[in-house]
Amino acid sequence: MATCKNGSCWTPAMLLLLTVGFCSPVCVEVPSGTEAVQGHNMTLLCISCMQREEVYAITNVEWYYEPPDSSGNKSLIYRYDGKPRETLGSQFKGRLLWIGSKDLQDVSLILQNVTITDAGKYFCHVNRTLHFEAHQHSIQNSVTIDLIVTEAANEDFTSVLSEIMMYILLAFLTLWLLIEVVYCYRKISKSEEVTQESVTDYLAIPSENKENCSVPVEE
């Protein structure tokens, strides 16, 4: 039976879909940043959303690194196969921190204390085995990050433009306020001059004629 409210009708199926849409966690595959600063930490972002979150899955993750001009030679630097672990003997030993989510849709790493030699390509390979009632299905996903390492952070053009616009706005507001002050001062001065002239003219009138006179009041 459909439920109607304010002229709109909802079937039970539509209500169920709406409820699931609001209750289900949202996973968005956001691309990783590609510029790191020497001496700082860098997040190597790898998000691989599951299409069927209600299906039980086993997830394995492998991170590879390829130095610049290495002719495609890459080495395994990190893996997750039930628990995160670092590959022994790599140049990143002790500097890779696993920050993957509990549902393993986010399998990112933090590269600590970045050095100039950390520049290069990083590959995140995700392999999921979905377990259905009658069969299993494997899906793979890969993310490539071309990392550039700089000695100092480059100032974002957007932030520079925002700062310039802020100073322009402050200058405009200051000028507008100054014009308003000058305008109000001149208006008050003119009003005082008119009042003073009226009082002077009134005092110059003989006393016997003052009963028929009144000092004009400036609106």
Side-chain angles (χ1 to χ4, degrees):
M1 183 177 63
T3 301
C4 296
K5 184 178 181 182
N6 296 330
S8 300
C9 295
W10 301 86
T11 64
M14 293 172 64
L15 292 173
L16 179 60
L17 288 175
L18 184 63
T19 303
V20 171
F22 279 112
C23 296
S24 299
V26 177
C27 176
V28 180
E29 297 186 7
V30 182
S32 174
T34 57
E35 185 171 306
V37 180
Q38 184 179 8
H40 292 69
N41 294 344
M42 174 65 186
T43 299
L44 301 174
L45 193 63
C46 182
I47 299 177
S48 177
C49 300
M50 292 182 60
Q51 301 298 320
R52 297 284 301 274
E53 297 179 19
E54 73 278 7
V55 177
Y56 173 72
I58 295 178
T59 302
N60 293 315
V61 183
E62 292 181 338
W63 276 92
Y64 292 87
Y65 169 68
E66 179 184 324
D69 303 325
S70 63
S71 301
N73 294 324
K74 56 185 181 181
S75 57
L76 180 66
I77 59 174
Y78 210 95
R79 67 171 37 164
Y80 180 95
D81 52 2
K83 63 179 181 179
R85 50 179 153 179
E86 195 174 28
T87 302
L88 299 178
S90 72
Q91 69 183 68
F92 307 100
K93 184 177 180 180
R95 296 193 294 128
L96 293 174
L97 177 64
W98 172 265
I99 56 171
S101 60
K102 187 176 181 180
D103 60 4
L104 296 179
Q105 298 197 77
D106 185 350
V107 292
S108 305
L109 297 176
I110 290 182
L111 176 56
Q112 300 174 315
N113 192 21
V114 175
T115 65
I116 294 294
T117 58
D118 292 337
K121 289 186 178 181
Y122 293 80
F123 302 90
C124 172
H125 296 307
V126 181
N127 181 70
R128 298 189 197 277
T129 302
L130 305 178
H131 291 257
F132 298 93
E133 292 184 0
H135 68 285
Q136 298 180 3
H137 177 67
S138 295
I139 55 176
Q140 291 81 32
N141 187 31
S142 296
V143 173
T144 302
I145 304 171
D146 291 307
L147 188 65
I148 300 172
V149 180
T150 60
E151 294 183 357
N154 293 330
E155 198 163 6
D156 187 13
F157 175 75
T158 304
S159 62
V160 174
L161 183 60
S162 300
E163 188 174 355
I164 293 175
M165 293 301 296
M166 180 187 68
Y167 285 122
I168 293 175
L169 180 60
L170 287 175
F172 173 78
L173 291 176
T174 302
L175 180 61
W176 176 80
L177 182 60
L178 181 60
I179 293 174
E180 283 292 315
V181 170
V182 172
Y183 172 76
C184 293
Y185 175 77
R186 294 184 62 182
K187 187 174 181 179
I188 293 173
S189 299
K190 185 177 180 180
S191 177
E192 290 179 350
E193 290 176 1
V194 172
T195 303
Q196 185 65 33
E197 290 176 0
S198 299
V199 172
T200 302
D201 293 342
Y202 177 77
L203 293 176
I205 299 174
S207 58
E208 61 271 12
N209 296 329
K210 289 182 178 179
E211 294 179 358
N212 299 324
C213 299
S214 60
V215 178
V217 179
E218 181 74 15
E219 291 292 337

